[in-house]
């Protein structure tokens, strides 16, 4: 959803169940460059993951931890490649100078394993066994202050520099990328979203209440509608997926 204030949508997403690939990017930059950065990033990562299918097939056959770790490196390299390509495009075109994007990726690779790749402040949550957990870490100036104990959690909520990123993809030719292999359990619900959604929810338990519903499409529409009712000052993008089988 473009939201209630902005005229253009700088978010971009890919939901590709065949590849097991889910991406949410939230772009930034003038002259609509943010939407170029987010779309380029999604497309480059998908291209690189498509090219790596033989490695995924190897893991599907073996189930070995070493083959899963190889897939983690492939995802990391694909995000790094997208960073380089966005940066090159920004250097080629003065109107796109300084463009960048957040990037949160989930790659479900089989054998009840998922891989997270992450830069910026879009988020990945998992709702599991009656609780909700944020698996990604926000790369923001305020979160860095919070980790150092320079401000309290209460101070962080309305901090004047709350939207300043400490890491973004494409602003420099390379960036530090968080990656993590995680286990998926039957009944898990995973949600990737841009900050245009979660900024309107003070407590993640409110998100959990919605994600616990049986119909995920209804859940997401309700989450988006509430964000719009509370202001909708940013683009809103959200993907949710549920792991089949009894919890």
């Amino acid at each position: 959803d473009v939201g209630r204030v902005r005229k253009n949508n700088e978010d971009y997403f890919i939901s590709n169940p065949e590849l097991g690939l889910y991406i949410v990017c939230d772009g930034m930059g003038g002259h609509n460059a943010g939407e170029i950065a987010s779309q380029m990033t999604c497309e480059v990562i998908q291209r690189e993951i498509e090219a790596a299918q033989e490695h995924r097939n190897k893991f599907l056959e073996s189930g070995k931890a070493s083959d899963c770790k190889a897939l983690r490196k492939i995802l990391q390299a694909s995000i790094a490649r997208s960073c380089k390509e966005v940066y090159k495009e920004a250097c080629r075109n003065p109107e796109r100078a300084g463009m960048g994007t957040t990037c949160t990726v989930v790659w479900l690779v089989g054998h009840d394993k998922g891989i997270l790749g992450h830069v910026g402040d879009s988020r990945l949550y998992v709702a599991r066994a009656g609780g909700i957990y944020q698996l990604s870490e926000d790369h923001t100036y305020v979160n860095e202050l919070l980790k150092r104990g320079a401000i309290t959690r209460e101070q962080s909520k309305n901090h004047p520099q709350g939207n300043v990123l400490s890491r973004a993809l494409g602003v420099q030719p390379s960036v530090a990328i968080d990656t993590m292999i995680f286990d998926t359990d039957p009944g898990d619900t995973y949600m990737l979203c841009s900050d245009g959604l979660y900024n309107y929810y003070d407590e993640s338990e409110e998100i959990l209440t919605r994600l616990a519903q049986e119909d995920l499409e209804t859940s997401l529409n309700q989450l988006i509608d509430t964000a719009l009712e509370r202001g909708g000052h940013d683009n809103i993008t959200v993907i949710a997926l549920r792991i089949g089988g009894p919890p």
Side-chain angles (χ1 to χ4, degrees):
D1 196 293
V2 73
R4 290 193 157 173
V5 175
R6 300 195 172 186
K7 289 186 170 62
N8 63 320
N9 196 338
E10 296 195 325
D11 290 357
Y12 200 83
F13 75 95
I14 281 177
S15 178
N16 188 329
E18 190 179 336
L19 288 177
L21 186 66
Y22 305 88
I23 313 172
V24 167
C25 289
D26 179 356
M28 59 194 194
H31 298 284
N32 301 339
E35 62 195 54
I36 308 258
S38 58
Q39 182 173 349
M40 272 186 73
T41 297
C42 283
E43 290 174 350
V44 170
I45 293 169
Q46 180 169 249
R47 182 193 74 204
E48 296 292 306
I49 294 301
E50 280 175 340
Q53 279 309 288
E54 64 182 88
H55 296 279
R56 186 185 178 203
N57 291 337
K58 185 183 177 189
F59 172 61
L60 286 170
E61 287 174 17
S62 74
K64 288 181 181 174
S66 58
D67 289 335
C68 192
K69 285 175 184 172
L71 294 179
R72 177 181 178 168
K73 286 182 180 174
I74 286 166
L75 179 58
Q76 188 169 11
S78 73
I79 297 170
R81 163 67 65 181
S82 69
C83 182
K84 197 172 285 187
E85 292 198 17
V86 169
Y87 179 75
K88 279 184 182 174
E89 177 61 27
C91 291
R92 275 195 294 266
N93 189 328
E95 286 198 337
R96 296 174 183 170
M99 72 176 177
T101 183
T102 72
C103 178
T104 302
V105 186
V106 167
W107 188 16
L108 298 178
V109 292
H111 294 291
D112 303 323
K113 297 290 182 188
I115 307 173
L116 166 68
H118 174 69
V119 177
D121 68 347
S122 295
R123 287 182 179 176
L124 171 65
Y125 292 95
V126 59
R128 171 185 289 175
I132 187 165
Y133 312 94
Q134 184 182 334
L135 295 186
S136 58
E137 181 182 337
D138 295 345
H139 299 143
T140 61
Y141 173 64
V142 167
N143 197 44
E144 297 297 329
L145 292 176
L146 194 59
K147 279 163 60 181
R148 293 206 303 268
I151 58 171
T152 65
R153 189 159 292 280
E154 202 55 41
Q155 288 172 322
S156 73
K157 287 181 181 176
N158 297 303
H159 198 281
Q161 291 170 298
N163 61 348
V164 177
L165 294 173
S166 56
R167 279 191 231 172
L169 189 150
V171 180
Q172 301 287 340
S174 62
V175 67
I177 301 159
D178 289 354
T179 61
M180 177 177 71
I181 296 170
F182 58 90
D183 295 317
T184 64
D185 288 342
D188 281 357
T189 302
Y190 292 89
M191 186 179 85
L192 300 88
C193 63
S194 59
D195 64 342
L197 184 86
Y198 70 74
N199 274 340
Y200 289 101
Y201 292 88
D202 286 340
E203 300 297 332
S204 52
E205 280 66 31
E206 192 180 357
I207 296 174
L208 174 63
T209 303
R210 300 282 167 80
L211 288 182
Q213 296 178 109
E214 197 167 329
D215 186 343
L216 270 185
E217 190 170 349
T218 300
S219 301
L220 296 198
N221 285 331
Q222 288 175 349
L223 283 165
I224 291 166
D225 287 347
T226 300
L228 291 171
E229 286 162 14
R230 292 175 180 174
H233 286 90
D234 202 351
N235 309 141
I236 303 167
T237 302
V238 54
I239 299 172
L241 47 132
R242 183 168 290 150
I243 308 298

